[in-house]
Amino acid sequence: MEKGTDRVYPTASTYAIMLLAWRRFNSESDTPVHLSNLPNPATLLSNLIERGISPTAVVADRVLATSEEASDIIKLLSKSAVDLNHPRVLAELGQAESLGRHVPDPLEGVPEVKPVVRLAVQILDENGNKIPAQSQEEVPFNLNNLRSHLAQVTLARRVLPEDLASRQKLLEESVYDVAVERLRHEARLFDELGLGNRELHHADLQKWMWDWHQKLKARLEAEIKDIITAEEKLSKRICTFQRMGPFLSLVKPERLSLITILEIMRLQGSGGVSDGMKTARALLTVGRAVENEYKAEMCKRNHIAIPSHTRPKEFTGYFTGLGYKDLHARRMTAAKYMEDSEEWTSAWTQVLRVRVGSILVDCLMDTATIERTAVDKRTNEEIKENQPAFYHAYEYVRGQKLGVIRLNPVVSERFAKDALHTTLHPRHLPMLVKPKPWLNHNQGGYLYNQSAAMRFKDCQEQQTYLEHATALGNVELVYAGLDVLGSTPWKINRNIFDVVLKVWNSGERLCKIPPAVFDQPEPEKPPNMNTDIKAKSVYGARLKAFMHDKANNHSDRCSVNYKIEIARAFLGDTMYLPHNLDFRGRAYPIPPHFNHIGDDLSRGLLMFGDAQPLGEKGLRWLKIHLANLYGFDKGNFDERVNFVMDHLEDVYDSAEKPLDGNRWWVNADDPWQCLATCMELHAALESGDPHAYMSSLPVHQDGTCNGLQHYAALGGDANGAAQVNLSVTDRPSDVYTYVANMVEKVIAEDMKNGEKYASMLSGKVSRKVVKQTVMTTVYGVTYIGAREQIEKQLRDKDVVPEEECWAASAYLAKRVLVCIGDLFSGAKSIQIWLNLCARLISKSIPAERIPDALQAPKKSPRSTAPPSKNRIRKEQMSSVVWTTPLGLPIVQPYRKTKRKQVMTAIQSVYISDPNAPSEVNAIKQASAFPPNFIHSLDATHMMLTALECRTQGLTFASVHDSYWTHASSIEKMSEIIRDTFIALHSSGVLEKLAEEFRTRYGSHKVPLESLRSGKLLKNLQAAGVRIVASSEQANALRLGGFSSFDDIIDVSDEKSGSIAQISKAMETEPTQTEAPLVISDRRGRRAKNVVKKVSAVMDGEEGDDDCAGEDDADSILVDKFVDLSAVLPPLPKKGDFDVETIKKSQYFFS
């Protein structure tokens, strides 16, 4: 019948019979019949779609006698629709299922989320009259896109309630399918309105993009055929050339068209190019997008098996030698299996990406046009002209010609209004199945879309180091830690969701949910504004703040809308959040919009997907948790329990009548989490047996200013340890309150002296005002950063008038920093040591590169700058690199990026290439190292805790230094937190770091010229650095005007000196004033191609002839170097605090 040879064709009934036969007699059924030619559901679905038969008609046919048969057939067809990538068929089957379903729907009775709306753009006809619109409001494009994507998820839940793998596949469906549906809808809408090709400035950007898509798709179909034909002819004559036809044929022309348009539009305004983008970046981005789309398609089409999270029965833990070897062996086996299954996933070269991208972009630029309309000023006639939507141009930057692709001015103007650049791609969503275990740096997380294990910051070094460490098997615990975090199950807290949805749909402002209509009054214009300059200035400041807050209200509401839409789509499901790392090793969930690292609302909406009985201790910790969330977190544990019991009536009122009661929970520090805990505690107490109540609520253990905790442990600082709860105390210390009280005392003194802002701020400096500044002091916060932090707090609390906010925050920031300065001296000494190490490393040069560095660089014929004497600065390319205790290599990415020429099919351009070799940014390397190092330590502590919790069967989640588990598991997790922290800081962290620096940079030398800064020399002297020099070398420096070196030089003619004078080349003959000595390494072996010349400059003698014409600094210091290991400062003296004390500290994490 399918072949039609007998002129008899299948109908809906035919397909219903065949599907029923498959259901009853397939090989996995209870009554299998082995028929080789029995078509499977995917084949049947393809055929009926090709014949134009509705799947609903098949499901509704009378051949299916029972509801159970119809439901099973819907599931078979739905799974096939996912496999065959037919979202429309899935939607149709979902509607059919919803009409006759018997599976309870979690969304049954849940109201729709009212979307954020904005006023619709008025549309005019040719005569300038307004065209009546059905609605005066419209949903912003990004929310529409998200809602349409989530609607598919909801339909999938109806038709595939138990098949999570298929639903996850649909969830990761290509973003381009969603985009093309959106553009098709926009085009259809404009056709229905009869707009066609009306005046351009009233056209909609999506309508243009749909027109370009139609033209580009046709052009690509013809272009690819021509390329394949031409390459076949060429291959007969030339054997060695790279064909483009096979790569362009990997993805359908329709999808190639969408990829090109969406990626080019997304790059608009990027890279510092106004109204356009850099050509090379555009070509690379389009080429990479085609590569990723092809790989995702192949992964879906080939049904690549996903490695599981199962552990062997004889699991010995992550930290034993046997357990680590087993972990490494299993990951390597899984990675090999994936590679064998995915041979086609080898990365494309940059050249290939550029060539594919250039063909696609070139075709787009040829086909994408718009019609512009203007009025002739002389004749008043309307003139219409077709113009390209994109065009090539050149831009001169620092004297270099930069190739760019620009948008037509009208397209650019429309683009700015539609804000499309933030909305093209539906973001990653949580997963319905456990994430794929991390197998290497780019395999893990989502099943069908490639994710990176580390978020590289435009730094090829970071990826190279991670790949190398992975190949050596050094990062097994890091990947295992990511797997632990990603496999934690989550679900939506339905009780909180109902309250949130009610508040949202009401449009009122409540607990950081912004109102639907901005509810703050506009500042009144003062009557004397035109005559009083001060009144005008005050009004201007207040009006600016009002407009800023109004704009923020809309963006905040859109952000909350995303969270609520996603939460609604996942109601009733268990979900998972795949994690990856930033370059410092800190873990973050990959789904950006809705996760537990988000704000209070996101955390309040989430619960663990599994439950544990509370028990007596769990009930106590639930009460302590509630007190912490409310803000009563500085009393001892008994006081916190008593606080909750004293407010038990308020807890019950909040749980039973959250919106209609007295709203006690609204005044909490974290109101939505507080409400969730009130409801959990109420449910437990009312359950009849609170100790047996199955609780899913995460309970937190937070560190006290965790950066300071690490500094205190590193330095053995007893005073610092007492401030941040490392010591044994009866009640918790609060460093923030301590600093706030110190500041209040200083303000009281200033008030006596008549300080204006002191009287304005007196009594208003709470712990919250100074908290962020105190917390970030150990991370190197500057005065400017501190002022901005304090200004934000003053604005939020409305402590001072708007016009005085800036000046008041400037005054307060100075006072806060002064008060902090004396409090953490131990942390400051380690911070200075880390800073100095980074500064010296960034100034160092490998010994083998020094002779070349001393050569004068080749002068560019176009350059007008005076020639440089050497290349020393250009050779200072050493980033600060260190390894965490878990084996993760950390590379600081801060460099001065270079520009290089790239040849493309469109034009030859100069672009900035962040991956090209370039000198480091020494200032940024030094200032960022202390905070980055501490962040890598807290990330290590978190990973160790996660792994040990998994080993002992605890559910675990974290937000950096806040660790979460079930209430009943808190005491066990607290013990693990302390054990892992003690183990980390008992391993000689700073000693190992210093030794790693001496090993990694053992052959590096620092030019003396780079040390001549007075401030750097003073810091080196204060840190205890001593350089050994001969009397001749010391005398030469003194005579050359560099007596400042005397403070760090030890003169000795017996010991081998640290200072080396290195020549440019071997051919220079030593004169009578030079005593050539060959440099030897530490083992006494001769170093190749490097000569040390001890300077013998005496009174009355001139320097080398090579230095003629240069200043004294050049003639004396230019070729003198000191071993980096000789100037690395010794470790600061460690205090007497014993880290083992933490075991007895109740409030270390609490």
Side-chain angles (χ1 to χ4, degrees), residues 922-942:
I923 295 174
K924 184 66 175 170
Q925 288 277 347
S927 63
F929 181 42
N932 286 341
F933 178 70
I934 295 299
H935 281 313
S936 73
L937 278 187
D938 71 43
T940 301
H941 180 219
M942 187 276 292

Side-chain angles (χ1 to χ4, degrees), residues 208 212 364-365 367-370 387-391 406-409 411-412:
W208 292 343
W212 302 339
L364 174 65
M365 296 173 76
T367 55
T369 60
I370 55 169
Q387 295 184 351
F390 308 92
Y391 61 94
R406 290 201 183 279
L407 275 66
N408 189 296
V411 179
S412 179

Side-chain angles (χ1 to χ4, degrees), residues 109-398:
V110 179
E112 288 287 338
V113 182
K114 287 186 179 178
V116 177
V117 293
R118 65 184 179 197
L119 292 178
V121 179
Q122 293 287 349
I123 301 173
L124 307 180
D125 62 15
E126 291 179 345
N127 299 320
N129 300 319
K130 293 180 182 178
I131 297 176
Q134 293 181 354
S135 171
Q136 286 298 309
E137 295 177 328
E138 63 179 6
V139 180
F141 171 67
N142 54 346
L143 291 178
N144 243 347
N145 209 11
L146 176 76
R147 287 163 70 87
S148 65
H149 193 54
L150 293 177
Q152 299 289 338
V153 179
T154 304
L155 286 171
R157 192 217 311 269
R158 287 176 177 167
V159 298
L160 301 164
E162 296 163 6
D163 193 345
L164 293 177
S166 292
R167 286 173 58 197
Q168 180 61 34
K169 188 172 184 179
L170 181 73
L171 205 60
E172 295 185 37
E173 198 53 77
S174 167
V175 295
Y176 302 108
D177 290 339
V178 180
V180 75
E181 287 299 322
R182 173 66 179 161
L183 293 178
R184 187 178 285 120
H185 166 73
E186 292 285 343
R188 190 164 57 246
L189 179 64
F190 272 76
D191 289 340
E192 289 170 1
L193 291 173
L195 295 180
N197 293 318
R198 290 278 167 81
E199 294 181 6
L200 188 67
H201 59 279
H202 297 309
D204 187 275
L205 189 57
Q206 284 80 44
K207 176 65 168 67
W208 292 343
M209 290 172 68
W210 177 252
D211 291 339
W212 302 339
H213 169 56
Q214 297 287 71
K215 294 176 184 175
L216 182 57
K217 183 177 72 169
R219 168 67 183 271
L220 287 175
E221 287 174 351
E223 188 81 10
I224 292 170
K225 287 179 183 176
D226 292 345
I227 289 173
I228 291 172
T229 304
E231 286 179 342
E232 284 177 353
K233 292 179 181 177
L234 196 61
S235 65
K236 296 176 181 177
R237 290 179 290 147
I238 304 173
C239 299
T240 57
F241 75 97
Q242 188 178 38
R243 295 191 178 201
M244 301 305 298
F247 290 96
L248 291 167
S249 304
L250 294 173
V251 181
K252 292 178 182 177
E254 181 181 35
R255 191 153 304 181
L256 284 176
S257 169
L258 255 296
I259 288 172
T260 308
I261 293 170
L262 296 185
E263 293 296 334
I264 289 294
M265 296 299 283
R266 187 173 63 83
L267 286 173
Q268 148 69 358
S270 64
V273 180
S274 58
D275 297 332
M277 68 221 68
K278 295 175 182 176
T279 303
R281 183 176 182 182
L283 305 187
L284 276 170
T285 302
V286 172
R288 189 178 288 110
V290 173
E291 176 190 12
N292 290 340
E293 181 64 16
Y294 160 64
K295 289 179 179 178
E297 279 297 307
M298 290 298 293
C299 202
K300 294 170 194 172
R301 198 178 303 163
N302 294 336
H303 303 287
I304 301 301
I306 308 301
S308 69
H309 284 265
T310 55
R311 296 183 305 190
K313 292 179 181 178
E314 298 82 16
F315 183 60
T316 57
Y318 292 102
F319 303 119
T320 63
L322 187 62
Y324 191 88
K325 287 179 181 177
D326 175 63
L327 197 66
H328 178 56
R330 285 191 292 117
R331 184 183 65 77
M332 294 302 290
T333 303
K336 182 67 171 68
Y337 174 74
M338 291 292 286
E339 287 170 9
D340 291 345
S341 303
E342 304 177 16
E343 289 179 290
W344 42 267
T345 61
S346 56
W348 291 9
T349 63
Q350 289 286 75
V351 174
L352 177 57
R353 289 173 184 149
V354 167
R355 292 185 68 190
V356 169
S358 64
I359 292 170
L360 297 175
V361 174
D362 201 28
C363 289
L364 174 65
M365 296 173 76
D366 281 350
T367 55
T369 60
I370 55 169
E371 188 182 76
R372 291 190 69 175
T373 306
V375 176
D376 191 322
K377 293 181 180 179
R378 293 173 299 173
T379 62
N380 288 329
E381 289 183 11
E382 189 177 72
I383 302 172
K384 294 184 178 181
E385 180 180 85
N386 276 327
Q387 295 184 351
F390 308 92
Y391 61 94
H392 299 163
Y394 287 96
E395 196 174 274
Y396 283 87
V397 179
R398 302 185 195 128

Side-chain angles (χ1 to χ4, degrees), residues 718-772:
N719 291 331
Q723 290 291 343
V724 291
N725 292 315
L726 298 190
S727 302
V728 180
T729 54
D730 294 332
R731 57 189 309 105
S733 299
D734 182 16
V735 66
Y736 309 123
T737 301
Y738 186 82
V739 171
N741 292 337
M742 288 176 67
V743 174
E744 282 286 5
K745 290 178 183 177
V746 174
I747 287 176
E749 291 297 320
D750 288 346
M751 280 182 68
K752 295 176 183 177
N753 300 327
E755 171 62 51
K756 171 185 174 183
Y757 295 108
S759 56
M760 195 179 289
L761 291 166
S762 179
K764 298 175 181 177
V765 182
S766 65
R767 70 185 296 274
K768 197 163 187 178
V769 171
V770 302
K771 180 176 179 179
Q772 191 178 7

Side-chain angles (χ1 to χ4, degrees), residues 417-691:
K417 290 179 182 177
D418 282 15
L420 190 71
H421 57 284
T422 61
T423 62
L424 285 174
H425 294 262
R427 306 301 192 202
H428 282 308
L429 295 172
M431 297 181 67
L432 292 164
V433 296
K434 286 186 180 181
K436 179 167 65 178
W438 285 100
L439 305 179
N440 55 39
H441 73 282
N442 63 358
Q443 281 188 337
Y446 288 98
L447 305 189
Y448 303 104
N449 291 329
Q450 192 175 75
S451 304
M454 182 178 282
R455 305 177 183 195
F456 308 113
K457 288 175 67 68
D458 286 335
C459 182
Q460 183 62 40
E461 278 179 288
Q462 291 172 344
Q463 182 172 337
T464 303
Y465 271 89
L466 181 59
E467 288 178 9
H468 184 63
T470 302
L472 293 176
N474 292 343
V475 286
E476 302 306 317
L477 293 176
V478 176
Y479 288 144
L482 287 176
D483 293 342
V484 168
L485 296 172
S487 61
T488 298
W490 298 92
K491 66 181 179 183
I492 305 299
N493 188 330
R494 178 62 185 269
N495 293 328
I496 296 298
F497 177 81
D498 289 341
V499 178
V500 169
L501 187 57
K502 190 172 182 180
V503 172
W504 174 264
N505 285 344
S506 73
E508 72 168 300
R509 178 194 295 272
L510 185 70
C511 302
K512 296 294 179 76
I513 292 184
V517 179
F518 189 56
D519 55 359
Q520 299 301 311
E522 186 173 342
E524 293 184 8
K525 188 181 292 186
N528 61 339
M529 191 178 77
N530 295 327
T531 56
D532 189 334
I533 295 177
K534 185 176 180 181
K536 184 177 182 179
S537 174
V538 169
Y539 170 72
R542 292 181 177 177
L543 183 63
K544 182 180 179 182
F546 169 79
M547 298 306 293
H548 182 262
D549 291 344
K550 187 175 181 180
N552 282 348
N553 186 78
H554 179 77
S555 60
D556 289 346
R557 194 155 172 90
C558 286
S559 175
V560 174
N561 200 167
Y562 262 66
K563 293 178 176 66
I564 301 175
E565 287 280 10
I566 294 170
R568 186 179 187 278
F570 284 89
L571 276 179
D573 278 325
T574 298
M575 58 188 188
Y576 300 87
L577 301 171
H579 283 61
N580 63 3
L581 307 168
D582 69 5
F583 78 93
R584 303 163 300 186
R586 277 190 152 191
Y588 294 84
I590 299 176
H593 287 296
F594 187 59
N595 58 59
H596 63 293
I597 288 186
D599 58 8
D600 172 55
L601 176 63
S602 299
R603 298 182 188 187
L605 284 168
L606 285 168
M607 302 177 79
F608 286 136
D610 56 345
Q612 295 290 336
L614 272 179
E616 183 179 353
K617 292 180 178 179
L619 184 61
R620 172 180 164 82
W621 276 108
L622 194 61
K623 294 172 184 176
I624 294 171
H625 181 56
L626 178 55
N628 291 345
L629 293 170
Y630 198 81
F632 189 80
D633 55 348
K634 297 309 161 197
N636 61 38
F637 291 142
D638 290 335
E639 289 170 349
R640 297 183 211 182
V641 173
N642 292 336
F643 170 83
V644 172
M645 297 311 294
D646 292 343
H647 289 86
L648 199 58
E649 188 176 327
D650 292 323
V651 172
Y652 268 63
D653 179 79
S654 299
E656 294 169 352
K657 297 179 289 183
L659 299 178
D660 303 324
N662 59 27
R663 295 192 178 189
W664 174 78
W665 62 276
V666 169
N667 299 314
D669 284 356
D670 298 300
W672 292 110
Q673 293 176 82
C674 177
L675 179 59
T677 311
C678 286
M679 291 180 170
E680 191 80 351
L681 182 58
H682 171 265
L685 294 176
E686 291 298 307
S687 65
D689 185 358
H691 296 168

